[in-house]
Amino acid sequence: MKFSKLPFLVLGLGSLVFAQNQKYTMAEAVNGLRSNLAIKSIPQFSWTADAKAYIYGTRNGYLVTEMQGMKQDTLVSLHQINKNLAAEQRLKALPPVKFTDRSKGYFVQDGKYYRITKSGNDWKTTEWTSLNEGAANAEILADNKSIVYTVKNNLYLNRNGKNIAITTDENEHIVNGQAVHRSEFGIRGGIFAAPDAAKIAFYRMDETMVTDYPVIDWSVTPAKNTNIKYPMAGGTSHQVTLGVYDINSQKTTFLKTEGDKEQYLTAVTWSPDSKYIFVGVLNRDQNHLKMNQYDAVTGSFIKTLFEEQSDKYVEPQNPLLFFPNSNTDFIWQSQRTGYNHLFHYHLEKGLVAQITKGDWLVTDVLGFNEKKKEIFYTSTQESPLERHLYKINWNSFRTQKLTSAPGMHTGILSKDGSQLYDIYSNATTPRSVNLINTANGQSKNILTSENPLKNYNRPEIKNVNLKADDGTPLYGKIILPTDFDATRKYPVIVYLYNGPHLQLITNSFPASGNLWYEYMAQNGYIVFTMDGRGSSNRGMKFEQAVFRNMGETEMNDQLKGVEYLKSLPYADTDNMGIHGWSYGGFMTTSFMLKHPEVFKAGVAGGPVIDWNMYEIMYTERYMDSPQNNPEGYAKANLLDKVQNLKGKLLMIHGAQDDVVVWQHSVKFLKAAVDHGVQLDYFVYPGHEHNVMGKDRVHLMQKVTDYFDAHLKK
């Protein structure tokens, strides 16, 4: 009997060995972490208003867990939600429900709004209202009764079941209630409801003066053109104003934001008493910000609270954040010291104090504990490669770190600041979720996710620390081929972005940063990636090193990475490739033309080729205007450098890309033809910034095949 078990034991061991040597499919390498390799999480987490419990969703309902005793129960089930709905309205899957308290909530399904209300031990579902067809950007006001939304270019209010037009502009290029300024300056939307729900501030963007730009859909025959308004660097920009709609009088007043019509209006904030609106008014040169106060009833300018100026640029990213139960004291986030920090202001007294200080930056403010005068925030204080959660007393400035495990932490604070939901990952931890008592610092783990990659043959990943030519530390990673043999030589791929507002290298899961890197390592490549100066979360000096001269300092830093790779005996630096998308596409193409001897092959996705053809807001911040910086634009322009190409270059671009417009690649292709330069080119429908799913898989297979063809012997 004992011996009869042996074959099964051997079979089990064989299966284990096989499982741990699995290779990724391309679909898994590109989309796996969003599909079959997704890391287990706690979906739709929220604290109850009293912080005595938390709520989260499951497949069949929402659960509520009491903090005292951690007793868990079903709050509402999918069956209970469906019970009061007509057969054709019943839901197959649990919708995202917004709970206003433990006994009330609402959700949206097929454009209709529904309320759920607890009645005894049961729940009732009732239809609340419907918005006009084509509704978008919907926001529910603080009264939980009114909904403001847009349809095409106009703004609407739904109240008491009726839909009222707030604006009636017939010209489609006068846009109301939507994000403006190409969503730069921290702008995420265009609707700003007053705390008392009696007024609605909104952006009105007049684009009529901006040149039309064609975006052609080639997937239909005949091809169809749609003109968009795309303000290019140095050209005419749109003009933005802020309207204030009074719900009771149904009248709109515009704030008197005097000044250059092409200035930027951002950081829009209501005072807690709904009497005033604060607007960050930034000049088009983006080097002078005024924080202005306006009367919400008359629209009149009251005063400028403070100003910020720079010899390079000022970049506001957040609205004012008022202290709890105060109409006078607020936090302003500013990079004026070189790092993003919190500043305490008073409406009458001005600057009260700088709350956080140091050569690190605050990345998020989580909220307050009013009783203890505490502010909770996320920062890079521990390391630029990590995020940790902290609290600071806004009077004594006593600071306490609330997280200890290394990695990238994010948090959700309860309304009263007594409880903190902490979720983090690091190189070896896919996801850990913990509840932190902010008074005593005690932490309770409620989820430790299994590693979905445990059965795969994963590469060795090493952190690399280099130095720029001025001594600035540069952080990178090298991913070695699976089954690595130090006596062999392997082809190398450098993946890069190295532009503002993005950081590739962090202590997070997976340690590689990208499963496509691991896929390439499984197929015999060394992959190297590094954040050079110009990239994010290292402070203003680090980011502004590229000012007026994009494509130079970043390249020098990446060349330090090349030097490092050449020092490795197992790196076949005669067979190196380079790859990146968007800004990374610009860097890839720049390398292939400005340092043509370094890389044998490059793949540039959606590259910026000439900064004269990129949007005003982003380009003029980092490059100044073409009129004021012709030398910088000329140096970065790649159209007159195509003749330098020596290696193999594949350019990939989406025909409908409205961020980096296709004209960049089309003009580059023409320049290559004019100079008799061989260039490989691939165009696809859609655009790089939103292509996902199977289309993304096909694109990355194209990239992989190209490197295989030109780098492997």
Side-chain angles (χ1 to χ4, degrees):
M1 292 295 293
K2 290 181 179 179
F3 286 101
S4 67
K5 293 183 179 181
L6 185 58
F8 295 98
L9 178 62
V10 172
L11 177 63
L13 287 172
S15 298
L16 180 63
V17 171
F18 174 77
Q20 289 176 335
N21 281 281
Q22 277 183 256
K23 283 190 172 185
Y24 302 111
T25 64
M26 183 60 76
E28 289 173 330
V30 176
N31 296 321
L33 290 175
R34 290 185 292 270
S35 56
N36 65 308
L37 300 178
I39 301 165
K40 187 178 179 181
S41 63
I42 296 179
Q44 301 174 56
F45 176 95
S46 64
W47 290 106
T48 56
D50 58 9
K52 293 181 179 180
Y54 63 87
I55 299 168
Y56 69 93
T58 68
R59 247 178 119 177
N60 299 312
Y62 282 87
L63 302 180
V64 59
T65 305
E66 305 295 336
M67 292 298 293
Q68 186 172 1
M70 299 302 289
K71 181 183 177 183
Q72 190 173 83
D73 199 1
T74 298
L75 180 62
V76 60
S77 68
L78 178 60
H79 171 73
Q80 288 174 311
I81 292 174
N82 273 331
K83 198 161 55 172
N84 303 123
L85 294 176
E88 66 275 9
Q89 294 176 312
R90 285 175 189 159
L91 310 170
K92 294 181 180 179
L94 191 73
V97 176
K98 169 67 176 177
F99 290 94
T100 53
D101 59 40
R102 290 200 201 198
S103 60
K104 294 178 184 176
Y106 58 83
F107 65 91
V108 186
Q109 186 74 15
D110 297 328
K112 290 185 177 180
Y113 284 72
Y114 297 85
R115 296 187 192 276
I116 60 171
T117 307
K118 191 170 186 180
S119 177
N121 292 323
D122 209 351
W123 288 76
K124 289 184 178 180
T125 305
T126 55
E127 191 171 331
W128 172 8
T129 191
S130 296
L131 307 183
N132 288 344
E133 186 178 354
N137 304 304
E139 291 194 16
I140 296 174
L141 274 59
D143 61 4
N144 286 316
K145 297 177 181 178
S146 308
I147 306 171
V148 61
Y149 62 98
T150 63
V151 176
K152 295 182 179 178
N153 62 309
N154 279 305
L155 188 64
Y156 293 82
L157 174 70
N158 179 286
R159 197 181 194 200
N160 300 322
K162 295 181 180 180
N163 291 296
I164 303 165
I166 295 176
T167 66
T168 55
D169 286 299
E170 294 181 2
N171 190 317
E172 65 179 351
H173 295 302
I174 297 177
V175 182
N176 298 281
Q178 298 183 36
V180 299
H181 307 321
R182 304 285 293 184
S183 296
E184 297 287 338
F185 317 111
I187 295 171
R188 297 174 183 87
I191 298 170
F192 311 93
D196 65 3
K199 294 182 178 66
I200 301 161
F202 61 93
Y203 279 131
R204 181 184 188 270
M205 176 171 61
D206 185 349
E207 298 183 298
T208 56
M209 66 290 297
V210 178
T211 304
D212 285 341
Y213 192 88
V215 176
I216 300 174
D217 181 359
W218 299 97
S219 66
V220 296
T221 304
K224 182 181 178 182
N225 174 58
T226 301
N227 282 331
I228 65 169
K229 297 292 186 177
Y230 190 96
M232 291 184 176
T236 301
S237 188
H238 54 236
Q239 300 176 8
V240 173
T241 51
L242 271 159
V244 183
Y245 177 77
D246 187 301
I247 292 176
N248 294 322
S249 69
Q250 297 187 7
K251 292 183 179 179
T252 297
T253 302
F254 281 87
L255 301 187
K256 297 177 176 61
T257 50
E258 298 178 354
D260 179 8
K261 291 183 178 180
E262 294 185 346
Q263 65 194 2
Y264 304 118
L265 307 181
T266 187
V268 178
T269 313
W270 280 93
S271 61
D273 59 11
S274 301
K275 292 181 179 179
Y276 305 106
I277 299 174
F278 305 89
V279 183
V281 180
L282 181 67
N283 64 334
R284 176 160 167 175
D285 285 342
Q286 301 186 43
N287 56 16
H288 189 178
L289 173 74
K290 294 181 179 180
M291 180 53 66
N292 290 344
Q293 181 181 8
Y294 298 88
D295 186 289
V297 175
T298 65
S300 298
F301 168 77
I302 296 176
K303 65 180 178 181
T304 297
L305 302 183
F306 58 82
E307 300 181 45
E308 290 192 1
Q309 298 185 59
S310 170
D311 59 351
K312 294 181 177 68
Y313 53 84
V314 177
E315 188 181 4
Q317 286 290 308
N318 299 281
L320 310 185
L321 179 61
F322 277 83
F323 285 84
N325 294 312
S326 174
N327 290 311
T328 57
D329 291 82
F330 63 87
I331 290 171
W332 171 246
Q333 295 189 50
S334 172
Q335 302 178 88
R336 66 181 65 159
T337 63
Y339 296 87
N340 191 61
H341 280 296
L342 309 182
F343 293 80
H344 178 181
Y345 272 90
H346 185 279
L347 287 185
E348 302 302 329
K349 301 174 184 176
L351 179 63
V352 176
Q354 181 178 343
I355 300 172
T356 59
K357 298 178 181 179
D359 292 346
W360 46 269
L361 52 101
V362 173
T363 57
D364 194 18
V365 178
L366 304 176
F368 300 90
N369 184 321
E370 182 184 9
K371 290 182 179 178
K372 297 186 176 181
K373 310 299 181 188
E374 292 171 339
I375 305 166
F376 294 79
Y377 63 92
T378 311
S379 84
T380 65
Q381 187 169 349
E382 184 78 8
S383 164
L385 307 182
E386 298 190 351
R387 305 289 180 272
H388 284 271
L389 309 182
Y390 297 82
K391 67 177 182 179
I392 186 170
N393 184 286
W394 69 68
N395 287 331
S396 68
F397 309 125
R398 181 178 177 272
T399 305
Q400 182 180 345
K401 185 182 175 197
L402 299 170
T403 51
S404 57
M408 295 288 286
H409 291 255
T410 58
I412 301 174
L413 188 70
S414 63
K415 187 177 180 180
D416 66 357
S418 66
Q419 302 291 337
L420 184 58
Y421 175 84
D422 166 40
I423 180 170
Y424 76 88
S425 79
N426 57 39
T428 57
T429 306
R431 180 172 288 128
S432 180
V433 181
N434 303 277
L435 305 178
I436 300 174
N437 183 311
T438 63
N440 57 29
Q442 291 182 354
S443 178
K444 181 177 182 60
N445 179 263
I446 58 172
L447 175 68
T448 299
S449 302
E450 288 189 7
N451 184 354
L453 311 179
K454 62 185 178 182
N455 292 331
Y456 289 81
N457 186 16
R458 301 189 64 203
E460 180 183 0
I461 300 149
K462 295 182 177 180
N463 293 323
V464 177
N465 295 333
L466 304 176
K467 287 189 176 181
D469 49 25
D470 66 350
T472 301
L474 304 174
Y475 302 116
K477 290 182 180 181
I478 186 168
I479 297 100
L480 298 176
T482 52
D483 305 318
F484 175 68
D485 180 352
T487 65
R488 290 181 53 193
K489 279 187 174 289
Y490 299 91
V492 180
I493 293 172
V494 172
Y495 184 90
L496 78 175
Y497 183 84
N498 211 152
H501 287 261
L502 190 69
Q503 181 182 14
L504 293 177
I505 308 301
T506 58
N507 181 14
S508 55
F509 188 87
S512 61
N514 188 315
L515 293 190
W516 181 76
Y517 303 161
E518 298 191 23
Y519 176 92
M520 299 304 281
Q522 287 177 344
N523 287 277
Y525 288 94
I526 293 170
V527 180
F528 177 79
T529 181
M530 185 179 72
D531 289 320
R533 285 172 293 175
S535 51
S536 192
N537 296 317
R538 294 287 301 279
M540 294 303 286
K541 181 181 178 182
F542 192 87
E543 180 183 281
Q544 291 181 339
V546 305
F547 182 64
R548 287 172 59 94
N549 215 14
M550 281 181 162
E552 296 299 319
T553 300
E554 313 97 301
M555 201 127 35
N556 291 337
D557 287 355
Q558 293 294 334
L559 283 170
K560 294 292 183 181
V562 170
E563 287 180 19
Y564 163 74
L565 291 167
K566 288 184 175 181
S567 73
L568 303 176
Y570 46 80
D572 183 359
T573 51
D574 290 331
N575 285 286
M576 286 205 301
I578 184 169
H579 177 45
W581 292 89
S582 195
Y583 199 97
F586 162 67
M587 289 291 292
T588 295
T589 312
S590 297
F591 253 112
M592 296 300 291
L593 303 182
K594 292 184 176 181
H595 297 275
E597 72 287 348
V598 175
F599 294 100
K600 189 175 180 180
V603 180
V608 175
I609 297 298
D610 178 1
W611 287 103
N612 286 283
M613 296 191 296
Y614 198 61
E615 61 185 43
I616 286 173
M617 299 79 193
Y618 182 100
T619 309
E620 293 186 2
R621 179 185 316 133
Y622 303 115
M623 285 290 283
D624 210 334
S625 69
Q627 295 87 342
N628 293 333
N629 184 23
E631 291 182 2
Y633 278 80
K635 191 182 293 185
N637 191 337
L638 303 177
L639 293 173
D640 60 359
K641 301 172 181 65
V642 66
Q643 66 275 10
N644 298 338
L645 183 65
K646 291 181 180 179
K648 296 291 184 179
L649 176 61
L650 171 62
M651 191 163 285
I652 300 178
H653 215 128
Q656 282 83 50
D657 196 334
D658 58 4
V659 178
V660 182
V661 294
W662 187 20
Q663 190 173 6
H664 286 269
S665 293
V666 171
K667 290 183 77 170
F668 189 80
L669 181 61
K670 182 180 184 303
V673 172
D674 290 345
H675 286 88
V677 174
Q678 182 180 345
L679 176 70
D680 295 308
Y681 191 69
F682 179 67
V683 63
Y684 59 92
H687 65 81
E688 181 268 329
H689 294 83
N690 67 8
V691 61
M692 298 298 289
K694 291 182 179 179
D695 290 339
R696 194 71 173 178
V697 173
H698 294 156
L699 282 180
M700 294 312 296
Q701 187 64 60
K702 189 82 176 177
V703 174
T704 303
D705 291 345
Y706 196 79
F707 285 132
D708 284 347
H710 297 293
L711 299 183
K712 284 191 171 180
K713 295 178 180 178

